[in-house]
Every structure is written in C-alpha cells, then in structure tokens.
Amino acid sequence: MTGWTAVLAACALCFALKLGGHLLPERFLSGERVSRVAALVTVALLAALVAVQTLGGGQGSGLGQALAVDARVPALAVAAVALLLRAPFMLVVVLAAGTAAALRATGAVA
Amino acid sequence: MRVSDRGPTLRQSVSVGVATGAYGVSFGALAVAAGLTVPQACALSLLMFTGGSQFAFVGVLGAGGSPVAAVATAGLLGVRNGLYGLQMAPLLAAHGPRRLAAAHLTIDESTAVGTAQPTPALRRLGFWATGLAVFALWNATTLAGAVVGDALGDPRRWGLDAAAAAAFLGLLWPRLREGRARAVAAGAVVVAAALTPVAPAGLPVLAAAAVAVVLGWRHGPSRTSRPGVMTQDRS
C-alpha cells in the first residue's frame, strides 16, 4: 500500500464511520455496552500509542523493534506533570519536545 | 432567536475552535516527521478531520508500522465519531449535502460544544459554529506545521518524537477519570510494551484494543466517557 493509498483509505474509513453514525437509526446502538466498549477501545489505543511512541526503538529489523529508554521518558514525565497542573494541550506538547531536545543537546542522553 | 442570545454559544465555539486549531501545527509537523509529504499531511486534516485518528495514523507510521495497521488504528479511533453522529443526527435533522457536511464536522469539539447548549437551536448553532471554526483553523495550522516541519531536519533533534508521545498522552488524559478506564490504559501499556520487541510495528497497538474489548464486554458499573478529548477538558 503506497503512502497516498493509505492516507486516502484511512480518510475514507473515518468518513464512513462519521456518516454511518448519522445514517443509522438511533435505536441501533442503544446498548450501553457498545458505547462503553468504544470508549475503552479509544483509551486502550491512546495508551498503547503513548507506550510505543515513548519506548519503541524506531527502526525495526522486520519482526519487532527493541524497547529503548531515552530522552523521551523524562520528556513524557514532564508532560504528565504539566497535565496534572492542567496546562493547555499545546504547552504540554511543547514542554515535552523542549525537554527531549534540551537533554539531547547536552549529549548525555540519546 | 435574538442575536444577543447567540453570544455565549458563539464565544464558546470560537474559543474552542482557536484552541483546537492551534495545535494543528503540531500535527502538521509530526506528520512530516513521520515521513508524510506536506500534501499528504494537509489531505489528512482536510479529508479525515478528526484529531485522534490523525495523530494515531501518523504515530503508527512514524513508529515503523505498516500502512494497513495505520489505517486500522485510525479507523478504530474513529468509531467514537460514529457514536457522536448517532447523538447529533436527530438534533441536526440535516438532509442531502448538509448531512454530508454535518457528518464531516462531527468531531469531539463540535459534539461537546453542541450538546452543552441549553436549547435545540443553540445546540445546532454550537455544533456548526465549532465545527466550521475548527475546520478552518485546523487546516490552516496543519499546512503551517507541515511546511515548517519539512525544513527542520532531524525531528529527534527538536524532540518531535517526544512531542508525539505527549500529544497522545494529552488526548488520553481526560479519559482517565474512572477506574476501569485507568485499568484498561495500564493493561494496554503493558500489552503494547511487551509485544513491541516481538511483533511487527502497529500490531501491539491493535492488540491493546483487543484487551479493551475483553475488559469492557463484561457487565459492571461504568460511566460512559464524555466527549472532548481532542484537547483537554475545559470544565
């Protein structure tokens, strides 16, 4: 699948999901279970993405990539503190980037 | 409806629109850092237009995941947009091209602001105003971020990989209100981290979704999550 194919396929899929919700009769998903599971799937996906983005080794060798603890970990800790202190989203992201960049600039951390 | 009645709703819509639109810059930069071209980054904001799915898509690609895994992950995160549509459709009563537009603009923010208004007319106004404001600003800032990101060189030097992790954490944070969500998040982290060394990139994330289905299927006390997770909760 080329880059553009993936981009357009993902866009089409997301639009189909949005439109599907508008077209379905309201009683179709009346169960509390479905909305509960959907909410939890979102939580799981986001949490997993945090884990992989923070600890993934980057370049894989085909099957799997080693876990790597580097400047991303303290950067994420800074982000978590900022979120606890109710900082705005943009500031949280900037603080994390700045932390990692600063640590890497010292040359002591990867 | 008097013009003065619309004031608070419009102010909410605009402020949410500005706040959400502003961090389109980080999406544009992250998309380019993940290997997408500027037109591809812009296409995502134009045609996908839902932050969680967009960040997930570029996140999976940036971590070396397959395009199929990226598409699937973006789709899984897009399920909640469908649930928002279920909620908004009877309220908006849109038909034909307007319904297509309403569907495209059905995101966390437009649903959150819309449903928070006190009357049906203001709910419709809140939905449309927020959706349009976010759409305009999100796309403009995505372009800016993508163009700047292209000129930056090695994204790690600027900490952009850490920025992506922080972006996902920021999107996740408002959802960690109740115990079951936190348990699912913890389980997802463990599953994803454990599978990363042994499974092709992208698969650990999808496996974590399966954990959520298993944990969520059984009955138990739970609150359904509130919308509004493209940015932090503003309550």
Side-chain angles (χ1 to χ4, degrees):
Chain A
M1 194 187 272
T2 69
W4 270 111
T5 310
V7 166
L8 294 174
C11 292
L13 179 58
C14 286
F15 182 73
L17 286 164
K18 287 177 180 175
L19 188 62
H22 276 261
L23 294 178
L24 285 172
E26 204 170 343
R27 53 182 165 73
F28 182 78
L29 290 173
S30 55
E32 187 221 339
R33 167 180 291 172
V34 175
S35 54
R36 185 176 73 224
V37 169
L40 290 177
V41 165
T42 303
V43 166
L45 288 171
L46 288 170
L49 286 165
V50 171
V52 171
Q53 191 71 31
T54 307
L55 298 172
Q59 291 308 312
S61 59
L63 198 71
Q65 39 180 267
L67 296 181
V69 175
D70 52 30
R72 292 171 294 177
V73 174
L76 196 74
V78 167
V81 169
L83 285 165
L84 276 168
L85 298 176
R86 302 181 72 91
F89 186 97
M90 246 327 234
L91 185 61
V92 171
V93 173
V94 166
L95 285 172
T99 304
L103 285 171
R104 284 171 179 154
T106 66
V109 188
Chain B
M1 179 172 47
R2 294 189 310 235
V3 171
S4 57
D5 288 340
R6 299 187 191 169
T9 301
L10 285 174
R11 273 195 295 278
Q12 280 177 42
S13 301
V14 169
S15 61
V16 169
V18 169
T20 310
Y23 78 93
V25 177
S26 59
F27 170 74
L30 287 172
V32 167
L36 295 173
T37 65
V38 173
Q40 284 169 337
C42 291
L44 284 170
S45 285
L46 206 67
L47 300 174
M48 185 180 284
F49 188 56
T50 168
S53 297
Q54 289 182 237
F55 279 111
F57 184 81
V58 303
V60 172
L61 287 180
S66 73
V68 173
V71 172
T73 310
L76 279 169
L77 276 167
V79 168
R80 76 177 186 285
N81 296 77
L83 292 173
Y84 294 159
L86 229 87
Q87 208 179 335
M88 295 302 308
L91 179 67
L92 296 173
H95 298 284
R98 257 181 78 126
R99 191 193 294 215
L100 295 178
H104 196 51
L105 295 180
T106 301
I107 57 176
D108 297 298
E109 275 74 5
S110 54
T111 306
V113 173
T115 54
Q117 303 309 309
T119 71
L122 287 176
R123 284 185 206 121
R124 282 188 287 272
L125 176 66
F127 173 86
W128 285 109
T130 306
L132 290 167
V134 174
F135 189 77
L137 290 166
W138 180 259
N139 278 284
T141 56
T142 294
L143 174 61
V147 166
V148 169
D150 231 3
L152 283 180
D154 181 9
R156 287 172 51 90
R157 193 172 140 224
W158 303 99
L160 285 189
D161 53 348
F168 290 130
L169 188 64
L171 292 170
L172 172 66
W173 199 261
R175 292 191 165 262
L176 295 178
R177 294 268 167 82
E178 50 137 6
R180 191 195 298 233
R182 293 178 190 174
V184 166
V189 167
V190 168
V191 167
L195 287 179
T196 293
V198 296
L203 217 78
V205 174
L206 294 174
V211 169
V213 173
V214 166
L215 284 181
W217 201 256
R218 290 166 49 239
H219 265 294
S222 68
R223 280 193 341 243
T224 50
S225 301
R226 289 161 52 205
V229 283
M230 275 174 86
T231 60
Q232 293 214 338
D233 200 290
R234 281 189 177 69
S235 57

